[in-house]
C-alpha cells in the first residue's frame, strides 16, 4: 500500500497528496517556475505539474473541443516524436476539490523510441497519464503528467499489453497516483494564476 503525504505546490498555492517516496526535483536541479516535478526515489516514474497558458478556442466543456487542447498539449510534450505516441484512452475526469463546472480530462498514452539505436539506452516505452484541467476564467491550463518509463529488466513484459487491457504493475501504480491527485488536488490561492 502506497503511503501519501499532503504536498504544497507552487509555494502552497496548490496542494495535493503525493506518494511519500517521491522527491522534489527542484532540490536537485533547477525547474522552470511554471513547473513542479517529483520523481520516485526508488524507480523511474515522475509526476510533473505544469501551469501553462490556455490553448485552443473558448471551452464549451465538451470532450471534442477540450480534447483538441489535450492533443495540443500532448504534441507539445512529445515534440517531433508525435508519431511514436499511441493514445489508448481519453476520458473526462472529476476533481473532488474543484468546482464540477471546471472541465478536466485524462488520457493514457505510450511513447516508443523510433529506432533500435535509440532503444539501447532508452526505455522500451514510456507510459503517460496526462491530465488537463481547464481554467477558462484564469486563461490557464494545468497539466499533470505521470511519466512511467518501462526499462527492460525493470518490469514484467508479460504483464503489459494495453491493447488487451493489461496495464502491469508500474502503470497500475501510476493510475493510483493520478486518482489520488484527482481526489486531493486543491487550489488554495487563485491569485497564483494571475502571476504566472
Amino acid at each position: 500500500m502506497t503511503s501519501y503525504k499532503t504536498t504544497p505546490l507552487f509555494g502552497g498555492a496548490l496542494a495535493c497528496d503525493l506518494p511519500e517516496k517521491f522527491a522534489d526535483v527542484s532540490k536537485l536541479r533547477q525547474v522552470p517556475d511554471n513547473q513542479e516535478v517529483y520523481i520516485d526515489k526508488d524507480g523511474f516514474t515522475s509526476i510533473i505539474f505544469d501551469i501553462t497558458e490556455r490553448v485552443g478556442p473558448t471551452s464549451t466543456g465538451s470532450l471534442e473541443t477540450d480534447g483538441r487542447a489535450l492533443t495540443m498539449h500532448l504534441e507539445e510534450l512529445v515534440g517531433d516524436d508525435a508519431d511514436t505516441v499511441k493514445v489508448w484512452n481519453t476520458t473526462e475526469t472529476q476533481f473532488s476539490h474543484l468546482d464540477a463546472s471546471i472541465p478536466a480530462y485524462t488520457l493514457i498514452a505510450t511513447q516508443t523510441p523510433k529506432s533500435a539505436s535509440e532503444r539501447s539506452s532508452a526505455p522500451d516505452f514510456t507510459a503517460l497519464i496526462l491530465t488537463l484541467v481547464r481554467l477558462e476564467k484564469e486563461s490557464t491550463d494545468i497539466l499533470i503528467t505521470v511519466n512511467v518509463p518501462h526499462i527492460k529488466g525493470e518490469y514484467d513484459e508479460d504483464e503489459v499489453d494495453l491493447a488487451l487491457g493489461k496495464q502491469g504493475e508500474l502503470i497500475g501504480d501510476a493510475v493510483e497516483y493520478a486518482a489520488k491527485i484527482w481526489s486531493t488536488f486543491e487550489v488554495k490561492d487563485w491569485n497564483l494564476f494571475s502571476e504566472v
Side-chain angles (χ1 to χ4, degrees):
M1 179 90 178
T2 303
S3 296
Y4 291 87
K5 66 178 179 190
T6 300
T7 305
L9 304 166
F10 300 99
L14 307 177
C16 70
D17 290 1
L18 294 179
E20 285 185 349
K21 66 180 184 172
F22 276 63
D24 182 348
V25 171
S26 70
K27 294 182 177 169
L28 307 171
R29 66 171 171 80
Q30 192 164 357
V31 172
D33 289 344
N34 67 317
Q35 284 187 349
E36 292 274 0
V37 181
Y38 289 81
I39 191 159
D40 187 342
K41 292 184 252 186
D42 302 323
F44 302 99
T45 299
S46 63
I47 302 172
I48 302 170
F49 298 85
D50 202 354
I51 298 175
T52 69
E53 187 175 332
R54 190 176 155 74
V55 299
T58 301
S59 175
T60 61
S62 75
L63 181 56
E64 182 181 342
T65 302
D66 290 339
R68 282 191 219 106
L70 189 58
T71 300
M72 289 170 70
H73 283 298
L74 177 63
E75 288 172 351
E76 189 173 295
L77 192 67
V78 299
D80 294 336
D81 295 330
D83 60 334
T84 67
V85 175
K86 176 162 180 45
V87 175
W88 295 94
N89 184 21
T90 303
T91 184
E92 291 186 48
T93 304
Q94 184 61 54
F95 279 72
S96 301
H97 297 286
L98 293 178
D99 190 283
S101 67
I102 296 173
Y105 306 90
T106 299
L107 65 75
I108 296 178
T110 51
Q111 182 176 20
T112 307
K114 286 182 182 179
S115 66
S117 64
E118 287 182 35
R119 289 187 187 185
S120 60
S121 61
D124 290 349
F125 69 94
T126 299
L128 302 165
I129 301 174
L130 176 61
T131 300
L132 169 64
V133 180
R134 313 233 51 209
L135 301 178
E136 188 166 358
K137 284 190 282 191
E138 292 75 18
S139 299
T140 299
D141 284 339
I142 300 174
L143 293 170
I144 304 166
T145 311
V146 184
N147 293 297
V148 190
H150 283 67
I151 297 167
K152 192 169 282 307
E154 297 290 329
Y155 73 102
D156 184 343
E157 294 178 44
D158 295 333
E159 293 294 314
V160 181
D161 188 338
L162 292 175
L164 297 176
K166 292 169 42 177
Q167 295 180 330
E169 183 179 356
L170 296 176
I171 298 173
D173 288 349
V175 168
E176 178 191 316
Y177 305 156
K180 188 68 165 182
I181 291 167
W182 304 331
S183 70
T184 61
F185 182 90
E186 55 187 320
V187 178
K188 296 191 173 278
D189 182 0
W190 287 91
N191 291 322
L192 170 70
F193 306 111
S194 59
E195 298 169 8
V196 174

